[in-house]
Amino acid sequence: MSALVLALAAGAVVGLALGALGGGGGVLAVPALIYLLGFTPAAATTASLIIVTATSITALYAHARTGAVRWRAGALFAAAGLLPAAAAGAAAARLPQPVLTAAFAAVAALAAVRMLRPGAADSGPADSGPAVGDRAVAVRPVKVAGTGAGLGALTGLLGVGGGFLTVPALVTVAAFEMRAAVGTSLLVIAANSLASLATRGATTAGIDWALIAPFTGAAILGAWDGKRLAARVGGTRLKRTFAILLLAVAAFMLVDAVA
């Protein structure tokens, strides 16, 4: 199978995950770039940020049109993560590749476990409008800022948007219902990814733009389909399927890192 076909197929899957779940695109994009398209781990995390940024912005527009984005709370989460994302992005270029791969595998496994475990992120509290989440942010600004900073660092270091953690954080810390959490997470992901990209100039040399462009295009189209898919298929079923795939990816990457 040609590299172009693989890039298109992988991009479509990444977009579906991001559009349907509000996250998860990066944790699939990085292993796809490494094992299907031959990128180094450092170049893959940088390329993943490019893909996740473009896809998140596109998906954000779709969610904003339906009123599912809480801009004030999302801006606070994103602002808190900008400096950590930039600093972690600069540090990522200096890490040994096996360490980067092992760290990524651990995060992918964590994401899978969180998705398989029933909890608040499956449904979320009833949210009658933007004011509900904004009030929760106003009374817990330190906790919100701390959570946003941690998510930014994760994005910068591993090239993942962190939606699998951002969505539950918005539900539990900011009292969002699931639909608003998914939409708002895309704003946070896009901002953190852009901040991290600003410090990753050294890792762009290994990026094959002839593959990244079609990968990104397919991901953007897939994100629109993912939003429609989420409306038809239960969120629990989508999460379980995605989580099983992530566990397999994490196990493979961990074996590769220690081999």
Side-chain angles (χ1 to χ4, degrees):
M1 190 179 296
S2 72
L4 177 59
V5 173
L6 288 173
L8 290 170
V13 174
V14 167
L16 279 172
L18 194 60
L21 302 174
V27 289
L28 284 181
V30 170
L33 290 165
I34 294 173
Y35 299 109
L36 295 181
L37 300 177
F39 283 59
T40 66
T45 55
T46 300
S48 172
L49 286 169
I50 296 170
I51 295 161
V52 168
T53 299
T55 310
S56 296
I57 291 173
T58 304
L60 175 64
Y61 172 74
H63 283 266
R65 289 181 61 188
T66 63
V69 180
R70 305 293 183 254
W71 296 99
R72 186 182 303 175
L76 178 56
F77 263 79
L82 292 181
L83 287 178
R94 300 179 177 87
L95 287 176
Q97 295 193 13
V99 172
L100 202 59
T101 302
F104 188 92
V107 169
L110 172 63
V113 170
R114 289 188 67 94
M115 289 181 180
L116 288 171
R117 199 176 67 197
D122 291 328
S123 56
D127 181 352
S128 57
V132 175
D134 290 338
R135 283 199 300 271
V137 171
V139 299
R140 288 178 281 185
V142 175
K143 190 172 183 180
V144 168
T147 303
L151 293 170
L154 178 71
T155 298
L157 185 65
L158 300 179
V160 298
F164 60 89
L165 294 176
T166 306
V167 171
L170 288 169
V171 169
T172 57
V173 178
F176 284 173
E177 51 90 29
M178 189 64 177
R179 177 172 168 270
V182 169
T184 307
S185 75
L186 293 165
L187 171 62
V188 179
I189 291 167
N192 286 340
S193 298
L194 282 170
S196 179
L197 277 172
T199 62
R200 280 178 168 256
T203 59
T204 58
I207 293 179
D208 186 347
W209 292 99
L211 294 177
I212 293 304
F215 195 120
T216 305
I220 289 172
L221 294 176
W224 287 84
D225 290 334
K227 188 174 183 298
R228 290 193 289 266
L229 178 65
R232 297 194 197 102
V233 182
T236 300
R237 184 183 301 176
L238 282 174
K239 286 182 182 178
R240 285 176 180 166
T241 302
F242 185 67
I244 292 170
L245 176 60
L246 275 187
L247 280 175
V249 169
F252 181 83
M253 293 187 75
L254 187 59
V255 169
D256 181 59
V258 300

